[in-house]
Structure formats: C-alpha cells, structure tokens
Amino acid sequence: MVDLETETGNIITAFEHIDANAVLISVGIIITAVLLSKIIAFVLTKISEMSWKYRLHIKTIIPLSKVLIYSLAIYYIISTVFALAMNQLLLLSGLIGAGIGFGLRNLFEDIAGGVVIVMEKTFQVGDIIQMGKYYGEVKEIGFRSTRIVTPNDDLVSAPNNLVFTECVATGNAGSSEMMASFDVYIDNNADADMALKILEEAVVTSRYVFISPTRPVVILLNDHPFYKSLKARAYVNDLRDEFLYRSDVIRRTWNEFHKVGIKAPKAQILSYDENN
Amino acid sequence: MDDRKKNKEAEKVTITPSDESTSEKGHLFGLDETIESIKDAISDFESGKILNIAIIAPSYAGKSVLVDEIVNIYSHEVTKVSFSSIITDKEEIPLSEDQSKIMIFDNCHYLYMRKIGGFEVLHAFLNMVLEQDARLCISTWNIHSWNYLGRVLDIRKYFPVQIKIPPLNSSQMKEFLLSEYEDGEILFVNDVEAEDKQIFHVVKKPLAEKATHGRIKLYTLKVNYVALRSLLMNKGTPDETAESIIIKEITRISRGNPGVAKKLWKKWLEYPIIKTSNIDKFSPSINIDVDSRFILYLILSMGYIKKCELNNIMNWKCSVDDIRINMILFELLNQELIQINDEYYSIRADKLHLVTKYLEDCRLVW
C-alpha cells in the first residue's frame, strides 16, 4: 500500500517535472510515427498494387506496421521522455484506463476492436467484407475505424467495435480470388439442359473466372412453380472484378439463350434466397 | 512455325516413307529422354496396352521437331495430322479413314475456342480418341491451353501419358546454340567487367514530371540484379569466361526454351562477336487493359492466331468491334509484345516469359 502511494507520488512528481522540451519531443515523436506509418502504408500499397498475385499478402503488413510503430512511439515517449519505470508505467496505464475509460468508452472499444481485427485477422486490407449493413473492399484498418469502399464507390468508415457486436462475413478470407454466385431465371418450358450447358460454358470461358481443383465451377438448377432458376457458383480471379464477371457471364449467357430460343419467365420472380 | 507454313493449305499431312522425312537427328537437343518415354509408350501399345500420349510444351520449345522425329522413327506406322488454325467444324477433323497404327495430332489446341459453344470440335475429337481400340493417339498441345482444358474439361484423363518437353540446361544450350558454327568461329567478349560489377546505382528520376516539368528530381537506388546474382551465385568463380556468362544468361532468360534462346542469340550476336554488354537486362513492365490482356492470353495459349479468329472468340462482329480489335493489336504490336507474320499473330520469342509472368500475375494463365 505504501509502495503504491510512493509510486503514485513518483508519477505525480515526474509529471510535475514535465517541461516544454519534453512536450515538444513527444509531439515530434508522434508526428514522426504518424508520418512513418503513412509512408510505410503508401509504399506497401504501391508495391501491392504492382503485384497482383501477392497484393493481399503485402497489404496484411500495413495494419501490423501501424500497431508496431504507434506502440513503439508511445512506449518511447513514456519510458524515455517522461523517464517512467516499468511499474510506474503499468500503474499509469491503470490510472488512465480507470480515469477515462468511462468517458471515452466507445473510442477504447474501437481501439480494442482494431487490435482484435489485426491480431485475429478477422479480415485484411483488400478483402471483400460484409460488416454490419456495409459491403465492400477493405481499404484501411485504422485504430478507430475500418474504411470500406462499397460497390457504388462510397467510402464508409465502420467503427471497429462492430466486430464485437455484428457478424462479419468475408468473401475471400485473404485470397485474391473470391466466390461469386448469381442466378439466371428461365421460362418453365425452356430446355433446361441446354440452358445449363450454355451457362456453364459462359462461366468457364469468362476472362474473369479462376478454376482450380479447390475452386470448382458449380451450376445448379432449381425448379419453381412458374419458372426455373439456374445458379452459377464460381471464383472470380480478382475480387475487384466481381461485378464485371457477373455482367460478362450474364450478357453472354442471354445472347446465347436468345439464339437457341430460351426465354425469360413470364411469371413474377420471387427471390431465390427467400425461398431457400 | 515451319509446320504452320507447311500445313497452311492442307490441314492433314500424311508422312509415309522415311526417306521423305525432313528433320535430322543432329538437331534434337535435350529431347533424348522425351523420345525414350514416347518409345516406351509405343512399345506398351504394341504389347496391347493403349495409353494415349499428350506432348505439352510452350511456344518455341521444339514440339514440332520432336513430332517430326517420332514420324521419322515410326514412318511406316504413323499418320500425322497437323492443325494450323482453329477448327470450327468437327467434319474438318480427319478421323478414322486412315488405317495407320499410330495417329499423331499436332497442335490440338486449335480444336477449341474459349467461348460459348467453342468446345464442340474438341468433344468430338476426344470422343474419337476414346473410340480408338486398335490405335495409339499422340497429341501435341500448347501448355497454356492444356492447363486451361485440364481445369475445365479434365482433359488429362483422355491422355494418360503426359510428356512435357524439358528445358535445356546450360551445357545443352551451348551445344544447341553453337551447333551451326565451327569451333572457335564465334568470339565471346566480356566488356562489362568494370562498370557492371556495381550492385547499386544512384538514379535520378523526375518527380511528378507533368506538374514539375522534370525540374524536381528524386534520387533513388537501382539494384543491378545481374551483378547481385553473379555475386551470390558465382562466389568462388570470379574468373568466369565470357562464353559461360553469356550462355548462362541466355539459358536463364529463355528458361531453357530453345526457340527463345535462339532468338536472343540472334539479337545479341554481332557476327562473329557476341559481347556480354549486349545482354538485355531491362525487362519492361506491361500496362494494358482487361480486353488487351485477354487477347494477349488468347495469342499466348494458341501460339499463332489470326485476327478473324480472335474476333470470333471475342464475339466481336460489328464495325466498332473491328476498330477495337485493331486498336488492341496495334497497342500490343507497339509495345513489342506480339508480332505479325503471314496474318498470324504470335508472342515475340524474346517477350514470351515476360508475357507469361504478367498473365500469371493477372491470373489469366493458371
């Protein structure tokens, strides 16, 4: 108890002796850390964009480097500039946590969420994710928020604490390729075998498709009271081309359907997903 | 290429007497083991076991030379059918009228198109292969088409024996490149000793050239990978001869592909001298759009292809599309990635590996 009081007294003394010089050095270190993390993020992003194959692997390093740089900067300021010993450091952390934990609870939740995302690799920069109600490519994992670019090119900042409260779905989990599935609906009287063959050929001949033993193409037929639905499941070779892939396959499929007389259903389509 | 020209008029070429054969044994470098594997498969066939063979190779690797050699060896038992452009009608495949025991189908990648309905001819061909119970089918394929068809149609099942033409090593490459010269006819000169042993060079690059009009320059370090590699790999052999350096470089850049190596050799040779300073270390980066990339892939996977065939695969039919394909081919020609010869577009030999690597990175080549 006496030790705790002594240490608290020492910390207070240490803070009382903070001079303008120490504050300036601290600000300098913080600015350097921010600049360094920005430069590293910029360089790694440039390198990753040049290498299609290793784009996502390289981008994984960006949030890790940020955590490392900011942690080192904070540690350096506290231990060297303010010259606090390790036990004083721990005590200070406790005091700060208790003092401002209630006031800035959300901010600390976001920071904790950011650390969890980076350490657990819930998702990575470059992944396509569904987080809360937002869907898109992860552009940046910050301490407070994750920036997502939606298919409409909106930049959304989703707070990191959503990882604790919402389910996060990732379409590719660190891979460059991603499963993209879509449905095509045809009239009940249409030749389903022919339609399946055309759709399969449209998928496997697409310039955006990626096929491997672990990334197969699957074409499924489903029957409904007034129409038939065909589902194509395949991997797009670059997740950024998900929508181009769908458009390419659907366009060529319907061109071919028209040639062989396969028609769209006359009945109103019910959502396939709703029925399954 | 020779085969393509030879068979331009007739798609089927039947070779019967051995004295009419064209290739010579002396021109086969590094193919001895491959020929032995083919001979073994043919022996198995003669003892009643039918194991169809697929010979797989990238462009310029010597596939046609190998096929000619097999035709030479088994001249009285073989019928060779060579495809020189895309076959769009299955009636064009000469199927069972010939009674030869061994059928060789050269350039089978011309039997499919990467488009909807583009596999009909190939399916008919594969069905014909399966129906042959007293014949051995030897087929040759472009490696990129083979890999694609392997993933899409599982084509490996139709050809249980798959033979990939192996790359030449340095000593085989030396023998191959110098085979047409007398001893000592070519003079190898090492003229880059002084400057090129530096591993790092300081290079000035203009920063935001358009905005600053090149007034502000950024100093960067450029790594001399050739010097770095030779430092790491040739540690202990500082007195390497010019001949060894040049042959090693050609083997490395061509990845042991004899056709590519020959092209590089001809490019660097200033007869009768070849200098180490002529070695082209610069590999430009490729920057093209999605359509151009796909066209480049189609040219790579077919080896040689006409503009009308590209149009057919892309399903581009109207006049606007014609402008589009002309523009893409012009761009690819301009970037010196492809060449046109007798209406056929092909990847330039010296850019083959650059293009392959680029398309691998784009995941168009699997």
Side-chain angles (χ1 to χ4, degrees):
Chain A
M1 191 66 197
V2 176
D3 282 348
L4 187 67
E5 277 177 13
T6 318
E7 292 296 343
T8 312
N10 287 343
I11 292 172
I12 292 164
T13 315
F15 273 92
E16 278 173 353
H17 287 94
I18 291 172
D19 54 6
N21 196 29
V23 172
L24 277 176
I25 292 171
S26 305
V27 170
I29 290 169
I30 290 167
I31 291 170
T32 310
V34 170
L35 284 176
L36 192 63
S37 71
K38 294 265 180 204
I39 290 167
I40 289 174
F42 176 78
V43 171
L44 288 174
T45 306
K46 281 277 172 197
I47 294 169
S48 68
E49 292 299 330
M50 282 192 280
S51 166
W52 290 54
K53 212 172 181 178
Y54 303 108
R55 191 178 73 213
L56 298 188
H57 298 99
I58 296 169
K59 283 191 173 175
T60 314
I61 307 167
I62 296 172
L64 286 172
S65 69
K66 279 186 182 174
V67 169
L68 192 69
I69 290 166
Y70 289 133
S71 304
L72 281 174
I74 292 166
Y75 177 75
Y76 187 78
I77 290 167
I78 293 173
S79 63
T80 312
V81 181
F82 297 138
L84 296 181
M86 183 54 79
N87 51 352
Q88 292 172 329
L89 203 67
L90 291 171
L91 187 63
L92 179 68
S93 313
L95 288 174
I96 291 171
I100 61 176
F102 291 105
L104 298 168
R105 193 168 61 88
N106 286 346
L107 177 70
F108 275 81
E109 264 182 20
D110 288 341
I111 292 171
V115 173
V116 166
I117 290 166
V118 172
M119 294 302 166
E120 242 186 28
K121 286 193 178 176
T122 318
F123 50 80
Q124 302 168 25
V125 175
D127 279 3
I128 297 279
I129 62 161
Q130 173 89 48
M131 191 179 184
K133 58 181 178 178
Y134 300 109
Y135 177 80
E137 183 186 336
V138 176
K139 278 284 167 195
E140 190 187 337
I141 301 171
F143 269 113
R144 198 197 65 75
S145 64
T146 294
R147 292 187 170 209
I148 303 165
V149 175
T150 67
N152 293 330
D153 211 24
D154 296 326
L155 185 65
V156 175
S157 291
N160 286 336
N161 70 47
L162 284 180
V163 290
F164 299 126
T165 54
E166 300 269 357
C167 291
V168 180
T170 167
N172 59 311
S175 305
S176 301
E177 71 273 8
M178 187 184 81
M179 160 79 82
S181 75
F182 59 88
D183 299 304
V184 174
Y185 300 93
I186 58 169
D187 190 82
N188 233 347
N189 297 322
D191 183 345
D193 286 335
M194 176 64 82
L196 281 169
K197 183 175 175 286
I198 289 170
L199 181 59
E200 183 169 6
E201 288 194 358
V203 171
V204 300
T205 57
S206 172
R207 71 191 68 175
Y208 302 106
V209 79
F210 178 76
I211 306 169
S212 77
T214 53
R215 302 278 188 260
V217 172
V218 179
I219 310 290
L220 302 166
L221 176 72
N222 207 345
D223 197 22
H224 300 270
F226 304 106
Y227 56 87
K228 289 187 178 80
S229 70
L230 284 74
K231 184 178 269 297
R233 282 184 184 161
Y235 287 80
V236 58
N237 57 20
D238 185 341
L239 48 89
R240 287 180 181 171
D241 294 334
E242 178 192 358
F243 298 101
L244 290 171
Y245 158 76
R246 285 185 191 171
S247 166
D248 173 59
V249 175
I250 290 171
R251 177 181 59 81
R252 292 184 303 116
T253 300
W254 273 109
N255 282 346
E256 212 58 31
F257 280 0
H258 286 305
K259 280 184 202 165
V260 296
I262 295 173
K263 292 196 167 89
K266 294 180 191 81
Q268 189 191 352
I269 308 290
L270 296 169
S271 168
Y272 181 89
D273 291 328
E274 282 171 22
N275 288 308
N276 290 279
Chain B
M1 183 67 186
D2 291 341
D3 268 340
R4 186 179 60 76
K5 279 181 180 167
K6 196 166 65 188
N7 303 322
K8 201 180 165 192
E9 300 303 321
E11 273 148 10
K12 181 181 174 185
V13 177
T14 309
I15 299 172
T16 34
S18 56
D19 52 356
E20 280 183 22
S21 60
T22 50
S23 63
E24 295 162 35
K25 179 80 177 91
H27 287 170
L28 295 167
F29 294 94
L31 291 175
D32 293 341
E33 280 181 27
T34 312
I35 291 171
E36 283 309 312
S37 307
I38 295 167
K39 279 182 178 174
D40 288 347
I42 293 174
S43 304
D44 286 345
F45 162 69
E46 280 162 354
S47 58
K49 202 167 149 189
I50 300 177
L51 292 172
N52 294 318
I53 304 168
I55 299 168
I56 308 146
S59 300
Y60 307 109
K63 184 162 52 69
S64 298
V65 176
L66 177 63
V67 166
D68 284 345
E69 182 60 19
I70 300 163
V71 172
N72 266 351
I73 297 169
Y74 299 95
S75 57
H76 296 289
E77 301 161 81
V78 169
T79 294
K80 178 186 162 191
V81 178
S82 191
F83 304 108
S84 56
S85 57
I86 292 175
I87 308 295
T88 49
D89 185 354
K90 54 188 172 190
E91 300 300 319
E92 288 178 59
I93 311 173
L95 297 177
S96 52
E97 67 265 28
D98 209 294
Q99 297 305 309
S100 301
K101 271 171 36 182
I102 303 167
M103 295 287 289
I104 298 182
F105 296 96
D106 196 13
N107 297 328
C108 289
H109 45 270
Y110 284 130
L111 297 174
Y112 86 103
M113 283 183 284
R114 191 164 166 171
K115 62 177 279 195
I116 300 174
F119 300 99
E120 304 288 327
V121 176
L122 184 61
H123 281 305
F125 170 74
L126 294 175
N127 195 37
M128 182 274 291
V129 168
L130 291 181
E131 282 174 352
Q132 304 296 313
D133 49 1
R135 266 191 193 164
L136 179 73
C137 290
I138 301 175
S139 58
T140 74
W141 306 79
N142 177 293
I143 193 164
H144 304 296
S145 287
W146 175 265
N147 289 341
Y148 170 73
L149 293 168
R151 303 271 177 102
V152 172
L153 299 179
D154 209 359
I155 201 164
R156 292 175 188 92
K157 284 182 183 168
Y158 297 87
F159 300 95
V161 179
Q162 294 142 31
I163 295 168
K164 286 190 180 168
I165 295 183
L168 301 183
N169 58 36
S170 292
S171 59
Q172 288 167 334
M173 189 62 83
K174 183 183 165 186
E175 200 187 336
F176 167 69
L177 292 172
L178 299 177
S179 62
E180 59 187 84
Y181 305 101
E182 298 290 328
D183 278 348
E185 188 181 339
I186 300 296
L187 192 62
F188 293 87
V189 177
N190 188 359
D191 57 344
V192 289
E193 275 203 72
E195 77 260 31
D196 261 6
K197 288 209 167 162
Q198 271 190 307
I199 292 166
F200 297 104
H201 296 275
V202 178
V203 182
K204 271 195 282 186
K205 276 186 180 173
L207 185 69
E209 199 171 2
K210 279 182 185 169
T212 63
H213 301 288
R215 280 195 292 268
I216 302 172
K217 292 201 168 66
L218 192 69
Y219 288 84
T220 55
L221 271 183
K222 193 183 174 192
V223 183
N224 181 354
Y225 291 105
V226 176
L228 184 65
R229 193 171 38 250
S230 61
L231 182 79
L232 296 171
M233 309 284 285
N234 303 333
K235 213 174 174 183
T237 57
D239 300 324
E240 198 176 15
T241 61
E243 181 184 299
S244 169
I245 293 169
I246 290 168
I247 298 289
K248 270 187 187 171
E249 274 302 295
I250 289 181
T251 312
R252 187 188 64 79
I253 297 171
S254 68
R255 296 190 197 173
N257 184 319
V260 176
K262 196 77 172 176
K263 186 83 181 171
L264 293 171
W265 173 264
K266 283 183 178 168
K267 195 173 160 189
W268 298 344
L269 180 69
E270 294 163 4
Y271 184 83
I273 297 169
I274 186 161
K275 296 175 190 166
T276 47
S277 61
N278 287 1
I279 297 174
D280 194 4
K281 294 160 202 137
F282 179 68
S283 59
S285 59
I286 302 174
N287 190 14
I288 48 177
D289 66 14
V290 182
D291 284 340
S292 307
R293 221 175 281 155
F294 191 58
I295 297 268
L296 194 62
Y297 164 77
L298 292 175
I299 298 172
L300 179 75
S301 61
M302 287 293 165
Y304 299 90
I305 190 165
K306 289 180 188 172
K307 191 174 87 174
C308 58
E309 292 169 337
L310 286 170
N311 259 331
N312 188 6
I313 295 172
M314 299 296 282
N315 216 10
W316 287 351
K317 286 169 186 160
C318 63
S319 57
V320 177
D321 290 334
D322 207 37
I323 296 169
R324 206 158 143 202
I325 189 115
N326 282 338
M327 205 174 72
I328 289 172
L329 291 171
F330 175 77
E331 188 194 10
L332 296 177
L333 283 166
N334 211 23
Q335 291 196 24
E336 297 186 330
L337 300 174
I338 61 169
Q339 61 194 6
I340 179 166
N341 201 341
D342 204 12
E343 282 185 73
Y344 284 85
Y345 290 90
S346 59
I347 305 291
R348 282 173 60 117
D350 53 334
K351 297 288 167 63
L352 184 72
H353 296 306
L354 178 74
V355 168
T356 309
K357 177 78 179 52
Y358 172 72
L359 293 173
E360 272 171 6
D361 287 347
C362 303
R363 305 191 121 198
L364 271 169
V365 164
W366 303 334

